[in-house]
């Protein structure tokens, strides 16, 4: 996939966190609201049927399968054979305590991962991934091994397990994304252009020096393509011309700097290749919907609110 995808995933601050799970035998069912923009539902062992808004019929998950849910509001799952009475109601356990006694030979074991990202990540992922997608274990053997490792950590509760689970959340999201892109061609947009082998040299050049006045001729030469062929191929993959992609990439860099750094807006404009602070501010407001200074005050204020302790 190349380093360009990793860099952009970092820019939009994508984080995966394994937040809960359960183990159930026999006939069971559960329902829960979906509060996160994206969730991963992983079937460690056993089987279940999963239903969410937007689906007419449930999808079947087998061992090693992972469902990707984007912008869903509720989720239902059930497992085991139908019985004479109602199914046993279950709910995910955030503490994972119930997984310590799970028997993967007989139980249905499910893990959930919440995927978080900043507003820029919505364009990257929520527009590129379907509302519901499934990565099958048959096409993602390394993913199955990773799920086993995550389960061992959350169930074993060994020293340092909390730290390990946080790291596995990141790896699990990346493994699912890789497997999904391997089995399905993404629609035109960020994910597709960032994984296009023919365009990788041109993207690497723009990412390495975003302030440079990149022209179509230079980028085509970098990709060893004719100007017309490069322009057609880039638009087909990205859904936009190279100049528009470069502008949006600059805005990602600008948003990160305004969120975390104390750089002056004028200096940031120069670093990103704009002729003046006014030109940069106009481009930022056109793309993001607010001025750079207003954006900085808003996101830092929101961060302070999240860090403020709740009243006793």
């Amino acid at each position: 996939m190349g380093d360009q995808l990793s860099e952009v995933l970092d820019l939009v601050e994508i984080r995966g966190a394994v937040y809960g799970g359960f183990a159930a035998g026999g006939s069971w069912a559960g329902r829960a609201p979906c509060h996160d923009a994206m969730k991963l539902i992983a079937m460690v062992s056993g089987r279940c049927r999963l239903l969410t808004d937007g689906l007419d019929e449930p999808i079947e998950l087998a061992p090693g399968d992972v469902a990707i849910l984007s912008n869903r509001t509720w989720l239902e799952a059930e497992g085991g054979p139908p019985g004479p009475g109602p199914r046993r109601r279950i709910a995910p356990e955030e503490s994972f305590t119930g997984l310590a006694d799970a028997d993967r030979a007989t139980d249905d074991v499910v893990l959930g991962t919440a995927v978080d990202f900043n507003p820029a990540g919505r364009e990257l992922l929520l527009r590129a991934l379907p509302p519901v997608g499934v990565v099958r274990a048959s096409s993602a053997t390394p993913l199955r091994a990773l799920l086993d490792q995550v389960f061992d950590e959350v169930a074993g509760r060994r020293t340092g397990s909390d730290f390990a689970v946080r790291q596995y959340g990141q790896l699990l999201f990346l493994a699912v994304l890789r497997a999904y892109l391997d089995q399905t061609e993404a629609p035109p947009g960020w994910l597709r252009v960032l994984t296009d082998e023919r365009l990788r040299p041109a993207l690497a050049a723009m990412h390495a020096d975003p302030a440079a006045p990149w022209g179509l001729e230079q980028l085509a030469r970098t990709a060893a393509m004719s100007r017309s062929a490069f322009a057609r191929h880039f638009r087909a993959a990205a859904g936009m011309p190279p100049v528009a992609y470069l502008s949006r990439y600059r805005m990602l860099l600008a948003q990160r700097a305004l969120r975390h750094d104390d750089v002056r807006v004028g200096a940031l404009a120069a670093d990103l290749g704009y002729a003046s602070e006014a030109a940069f501010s106009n481009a930022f407001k056109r793309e993001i919907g607010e001025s750079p200074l207003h954006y900085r005050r808003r996101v830092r204020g929101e961060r302070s609110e999240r860090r403020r302790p709740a009243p006793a």
Side-chain angles (χ1 to χ4, degrees):
M1 288 187 182
D3 293 335
Q4 286 77 48
L5 179 58
S6 298
E7 182 180 357
V8 172
L9 291 179
D10 186 56
L11 281 174
V12 299
E13 298 176 333
I14 292 177
R15 301 289 182 266
V18 181
Y19 66 86
F22 62 87
S27 179
W28 58 269
R31 180 185 174 101
C34 291
H35 300 297
D36 301 290
M38 182 174 293
K39 284 182 179 291
L40 306 179
I41 307 298
M43 201 75 210
V44 179
S45 65
R47 294 177 179 272
C48 83
R49 294 167 295 281
L50 185 150
L51 187 65
T52 186
D53 45 329
L55 291 181
D56 295 328
E57 296 181 353
I59 57 176
E60 300 274 347
L61 295 183
D65 291 348
V66 180
I68 307 170
L69 308 180
S70 303
N71 273 342
R72 302 299 86 195
T73 61
W74 55 267
L75 170 67
E76 289 182 352
E78 65 176 28
R87 293 180 180 272
R88 179 166 59 94
R89 306 302 296 183
I90 61 167
E93 299 179 2
E94 293 188 9
S95 63
F96 304 114
T97 53
L99 295 179
D101 299 324
D103 184 350
R104 277 182 282 185
T106 58
D107 290 343
D108 300 320
V109 179
V110 179
L111 290 177
T113 297
V115 182
D116 188 31
F117 36 76
N118 63 36
R122 292 182 178 273
E123 179 176 7
L124 176 64
L125 288 179
L126 298 188
R127 292 186 184 182
L129 296 175
V132 181
V134 180
V135 172
R136 298 295 180 187
S138 58
S139 63
T141 303
L143 180 58
R144 178 71 180 274
L146 181 58
L147 286 176
D148 289 338
Q149 291 177 302
V150 176
F151 175 82
D152 289 342
E153 287 293 342
V154 299
R157 308 307 299 165
R158 294 175 293 174
T159 302
S161 286
D162 290 341
F163 177 81
V165 169
R166 287 196 297 271
Q167 309 312 308
Y168 276 128
Q170 297 289 85
L171 292 174
L172 184 59
F173 167 73
L174 180 59
V176 169
L177 183 61
R178 282 173 170 168
Y180 183 81
L181 292 174
D182 284 344
Q183 71 181 31
T184 306
E185 183 177 58
W190 282 97
L191 285 180
R192 185 161 161 185
V193 73
L194 289 168
T195 55
D196 191 296
E197 292 292 334
R198 295 184 67 190
L199 297 176
R200 180 182 292 182
L203 291 172
M206 285 190 281
H207 287 203
D209 190 4
W214 293 104
L216 192 58
E217 187 71 39
Q218 290 174 289
L219 293 172
R221 195 182 312 120
T222 302
M225 300 170 67
S226 71
R227 178 171 170 163
S228 58
F230 175 78
R232 287 194 304 271
H233 190 73
F234 196 100
R235 183 181 284 274
M240 67 187 83
V243 172
Y245 174 88
L246 178 60
S247 177
R248 292 192 181 186
Y249 181 68
R250 287 171 172 172
M251 291 300 109
L252 286 178
L253 295 173
Q255 289 175 83
R256 179 177 64 179
L258 293 167
R259 284 193 305 270
H260 301 295
D261 302 336
D262 293 321
V263 62
R264 293 184 299 106
V265 174
L268 180 58
D271 290 343
L272 294 176
Y274 290 90
S276 66
E277 181 177 334
F280 165 69
S281 296
N282 289 336
F284 190 93
K285 188 171 185 178
R286 185 168 56 250
E287 183 74 25
I288 309 302
E290 57 188 328
S291 71
L293 289 176
H294 187 274
Y295 175 85
R296 170 181 274 165
R297 286 194 297 268
R298 179 178 60 80
V299 296
R300 294 191 178 188
E302 291 172 354
R303 188 182 305 142
S304 297
E305 280 295 321
R306 288 195 296 270
R307 291 175 178 172
R308 185 176 300 171

